[in-house]
Amino acid sequence: MSIWIFFKIIGSLALLIYGMKVMSEALQKMAGSQLRHILATMTRNRFTGMFTGMFVTCSVQSSSATTVMTVSFVNAGLLTLAQAISVIMGANIGTTLTAWIMSLGFNVDLTTVIFPAFFLGIMLIYSKSKRYIGDFLFGIAFLFFSLVLLSGAGKELDLEHNSDVIHFFSSFDTSSHLTIIIFLLIGTVITCIVQSSAAVMAITILLCSSGVLPIYLGIALVLGENIGTTATANLAALGANAQARRAAMAHLVFNVIGVVWVMCLFYPFVDMVCSLVDYDPNNQSLTPAQLAARLPIILAAFHTCFNVTNTFVLIWFIPQIERLVCWIIKPKTTEDEEEFRLTYIGGNTIMKTPELSVLEAQKEIQIFAERVQKMFSMVRELLGVTDDSAFNKLFSRIEKYESITDNMEIEIAKYLDGVSDAHLSDDTKAKIRAMLREISELESIGDSCYNIARTVNRKMSGKEDFTEKQYEHMHQMFELTDDSLTQMNVLLLGRKDNFDVNRSFNIENEINNYRNQLRNQNINAVNDHEYSYAIGTMYMDIVGECEKLGDYVINVIEARMGVRQAH
């Protein structure tokens, strides 16, 4: 019989974690872009940052989701480290709502609400416009259903009459700080393993409400959960840049400092919280029913008091916490900027919403576009290099850049492909389609730059050189092409509603007209024996490649703007 109850408990916990996940994801999808807007704009000072973190966490019912989102924003350069720390502090207050929801689940019979919620949820899931509301209802129904099952399993276990369990917990000296530290470490380890502070909180409430786990030990487990829950953000930040890893580390530092000071005042602080809800920890006369009603509320009250006090103490020390995490996490030694690596897209996508992933991919595309323009500036430089060793060095750099553009296209496409496996809104699907087109065209720009460099290399290997007039015309063509690349980067780095698309189309027309003019001049010059046919061919190859490059730029602009123009 006991093995059946054990499976019932772990099954209920699985249901609880799944319910929290479904509910949190549904809320993030319902409010995805708004949450992003709120996080990015409402963090001007430490207090608005804290209230923003609190509001977002209460909205999505997951401090891990808020913290991971915040770390991603730091990674994408949308939030500073100081702003992120204030948001994370607010998230710690927001997460206390979960404990109150759970204490309600243990104190109130929710079966009358659960089944109508399941029924309404399944009807809405099949409605295209209301499917996220259906997901949310399903998630919250699973959450409460798991609490009902957990509470029932706790009653079936009959722990208050199990002498072995009672003897095990009573063997710990609750007045010893060492015992409290042991239970704090147990709470931390279990939370790190199951990656859900909600599940560990549910088990703590179950053990305390049955009367076998003394309240002091239960509170020690809750403190451990506070540290263990920081593991999610730190795992998510592993593949991110130094600032994002620092933001995740700030979450850990903040919670550890809080636990350290509360351990110094442990017994007075717990007694103060107990007195707020009219409970005496040393009173053994309460009936099991009274314990079951009172203790979940005490745990939720302690969780709230601890996080609120910790935030209001440490919010004044954000600059010091920032300096500490910068000292703990040093930036990687400056690598050769020509080594291929992605800046914003990490291998780790724990709890990342599709909207955030798209945002990070856009940042990566901006870097891609800047790289191809830098590659083009090297090609311009190559045309004027006469020294063999300097030429070979620059040519090999261009070759390296060409392989970087190939790799960037493949990696960003692979990443976007992974994002498109999720349930996406039509707007996000359209963005991903446009971005796939952008990276394909940017890679083609890299190919064109390399083709020009190869043509210049071929000319270096031969006996003949371009005439002064040809150099002049090529430099003019390069100037026009560089202007078009600059316009493309202005669009990718800025907002498309402020962008003058006609300017790009005008530059493209100039490039086309100039190419046609040079082609006609070239035919006449070869006929008049001003230079050889071979030099004329190489000259026109460079001019033609610039014209192709201009077309690719226009394709990137069209993809980003969502427009089509015949050209």
Side-chain angles (χ1 to χ4, degrees):
M1 183 65 182
S2 58
I3 194 85
W4 166 243
I5 297 170
F6 169 75
F7 279 124
K8 195 170 178 181
I9 288 171
I10 59 167
S12 304
L13 286 174
L15 208 54
L16 172 81
I17 294 168
Y18 179 69
M20 289 289 290
K21 181 178 181 285
V22 170
M23 184 174 79
S24 176
E25 283 179 357
L27 283 162
Q28 286 178 66
K29 281 172 186 168
M30 277 195 279
S33 53
Q34 288 90 326
L35 286 182
R36 202 164 69 225
H37 179 70
I38 289 165
L39 266 180
T41 57
M42 295 286 289
T43 50
R44 288 186 191 90
N45 64 53
R46 64 185 80 184
F47 294 104
T48 55
M50 181 198 73
F51 285 116
T52 303
M54 192 168 81
F55 166 74
V56 171
T57 306
C58 287
S59 301
V60 300
Q61 270 308 291
S62 169
S63 63
S64 293
T66 306
T67 310
V68 170
M69 217 185 289
T70 307
V71 167
S72 300
F73 276 36
V74 175
N75 191 46
L78 294 175
L79 286 182
T80 65
L81 184 54
Q83 287 172 324
I85 294 169
S86 66
V87 171
I88 287 164
M89 287 179 171
N92 267 36
I93 297 177
T95 195
T96 60
L97 183 64
T98 309
W100 287 105
I101 290 172
M102 289 192 174
S103 65
L104 174 76
F106 274 86
N107 278 311
V108 179
D109 182 15
L110 296 162
T111 43
T112 49
V113 184
I114 291 164
F115 297 109
F118 273 131
F119 177 68
L120 189 58
I122 198 72
M123 290 203 319
L124 292 174
I125 281 170
Y126 288 101
S127 150
K128 196 176 179 188
S129 57
K130 303 275 192 309
R131 68 179 185 274
Y132 297 143
I133 299 171
D135 281 341
F136 169 72
L137 282 173
F138 238 66
I140 203 161
F142 271 131
L143 170 64
F144 284 133
F145 188 46
S146 69
L147 293 174
V148 168
L149 291 175
L150 211 50
S151 182
K155 289 189 181 81
E156 283 178 51
L157 272 176
D158 196 25
L159 290 175
E160 59 267 33
H161 298 117
N162 187 321
S163 55
D164 293 338
V165 176
I166 292 167
H167 176 69
F168 173 74
F169 284 115
S170 61
S171 66
F172 291 99
D173 179 9
T174 55
S175 62
S176 159
H177 264 87
L178 180 64
T179 306
I180 302 302
I181 290 168
I182 289 167
F183 272 78
L184 184 145
L185 293 172
I186 291 169
T188 304
V189 170
I190 295 171
T191 310
C192 285
I193 292 167
V194 299
Q195 286 287 297
S196 169
S197 57
V200 186
M201 176 64 90
I203 285 289
T204 310
I205 292 174
L206 176 66
L207 290 171
C208 283
S209 61
S210 64
V212 295
L213 182 66
I215 191 68
Y216 290 120
L217 303 187
I219 282 171
L221 286 175
V222 171
L223 286 172
E225 289 154 24
N226 258 44
I227 297 174
T229 195
T230 63
T232 311
N234 279 284
L235 281 171
L238 284 178
N241 60 28
Q243 283 295 82
R245 294 201 309 280
R246 285 168 180 165
M249 179 55 70
H251 190 205
L252 175 62
V253 166
F254 169 69
N255 282 3
V256 168
I257 293 171
V259 167
V260 168
W261 73 252
V262 93
M263 286 303 290
C264 300
L265 307 167
F266 186 75
Y267 294 102
F269 193 83
V270 173
D271 291 344
M272 183 270 291
V273 173
C274 289
S275 66
L276 288 177
V277 286
D278 193 26
Y279 172 74
D280 179 4
N282 302 309
N283 182 3
Q284 305 294 321
S285 62
L286 291 180
T287 64
Q290 287 172 315
L291 280 174
R294 195 73 57 87
L295 290 182
I297 292 167
I298 293 164
L299 286 172
F302 172 81
H303 197 220
T304 304
C305 289
F306 165 67
N307 280 305
V308 168
T309 311
N310 193 32
T311 298
F312 281 104
V313 168
L314 293 182
I315 198 164
W316 306 103
F317 298 98
I318 285 176
Q320 287 80 0
I321 293 172
E322 186 177 7
R323 278 202 296 274
L324 176 62
V325 295
C326 288
W327 176 76
I328 294 170
I329 295 178
K330 305 277 193 296
K332 288 176 184 168
T333 52
T334 310
E335 299 160 51
D336 174 12
E337 56 101 38
E338 281 156 34
E339 289 305 316
F340 167 66
R341 67 188 187 284
L342 296 174
T343 309
Y344 296 108
I345 296 173
N348 207 319
T349 54
I350 296 177
M351 293 177 68
K352 212 168 272 184
T353 60
E355 284 76 17
L356 259 178
S357 301
V358 165
L359 191 79
E360 291 190 342
Q362 273 178 348
K363 284 274 181 182
E364 208 64 72
I365 288 171
Q366 287 171 6
I367 290 177
F368 194 176
E370 285 169 354
R371 269 202 164 143
V372 293
Q373 185 163 18
K374 186 166 186 183
M375 186 180 176
F376 184 71
S377 69
M378 285 183 212
V379 172
R380 289 181 75 176
E381 192 187 330
L382 189 73
L383 191 62
V385 176
T386 51
D387 178 68
D388 277 355
S389 68
F391 184 91
N392 292 334
K393 195 176 172 187
L394 188 55
F395 183 71
S396 66
R397 274 184 80 195
I398 293 167
E399 276 188 313
K400 200 169 189 183
Y401 261 68
E402 205 278 328
S403 72
I404 288 172
T405 59
D406 289 348
N407 287 330
M408 284 191 88
E409 183 198 14
I410 291 161
E411 289 302 317
I412 298 171
K414 205 186 291 178
Y415 182 77
L416 288 171
D417 196 39
V419 174
S420 58
D421 288 342
H423 297 295
L424 303 174
S425 63
D426 292 340
D427 182 41
T428 308
K429 279 180 194 165
K431 267 188 197 159
I432 288 175
R433 276 197 302 273
M435 286 158 83
L436 286 168
R437 187 174 167 216
E438 285 165 28
I439 57 171
S440 167
E441 300 296 342
L442 286 170
E443 195 275 331
S444 297
I445 293 172
D447 287 347
S448 281
C449 291
Y450 184 49
N451 288 343
I452 295 170
R454 280 167 60 197
T455 304
V456 176
N457 186 39
R458 210 162 69 238
K459 186 270 301 176
M460 273 293 274
S461 308
K463 300 277 185 289
E464 285 185 277
D465 196 2
F466 295 125
T467 65
E468 245 179 78
K469 206 170 243 181
Q470 282 177 317
Y471 274 117
E472 196 183 304
H473 291 156
M474 282 187 289
H475 284 305
Q476 208 168 331
M477 179 59 103
F478 282 168
E479 194 60 45
L480 283 171
T481 311
D482 196 51
D483 280 352
S484 72
L485 284 164
T486 303
Q487 283 300 300
M488 176 186 80
N489 274 308
V490 165
L491 171 62
L492 294 179
L493 286 163
R495 292 174 61 85
K496 63 182 184 184
D497 45 356
N498 300 332
F499 183 72
D500 179 14
V501 73
N502 288 324
R503 187 166 171 194
S504 289
F505 286 126
N506 290 340
I507 294 170
E508 160 67 359
N509 286 333
E510 274 187 71
I511 291 172
N512 288 349
N513 294 337
Y514 196 48
R515 187 270 321 260
N516 294 341
Q517 182 190 327
L518 293 180
R519 191 166 52 193
N520 294 333
Q521 283 177 7
N522 178 61
I523 292 166
N524 295 333
V526 170
N527 288 338
D528 295 344
H529 305 290
E530 287 178 29
Y531 45 77
S532 71
Y533 181 81
I535 275 288
T537 305
M538 284 189 266
Y539 165 62
M540 281 319 296
D541 281 349
I542 291 170
V543 169
E545 210 60 63
C546 285
E547 191 277 329
K548 272 194 222 167
L549 199 153
D551 287 344
Y552 300 138
V553 167
I554 286 295
N555 291 342
V556 172
I557 288 168
E558 284 178 347
R560 178 55 62 99
M561 297 293 289
V563 296
R564 292 290 306 161
Q565 174 150 329
H567 58 86

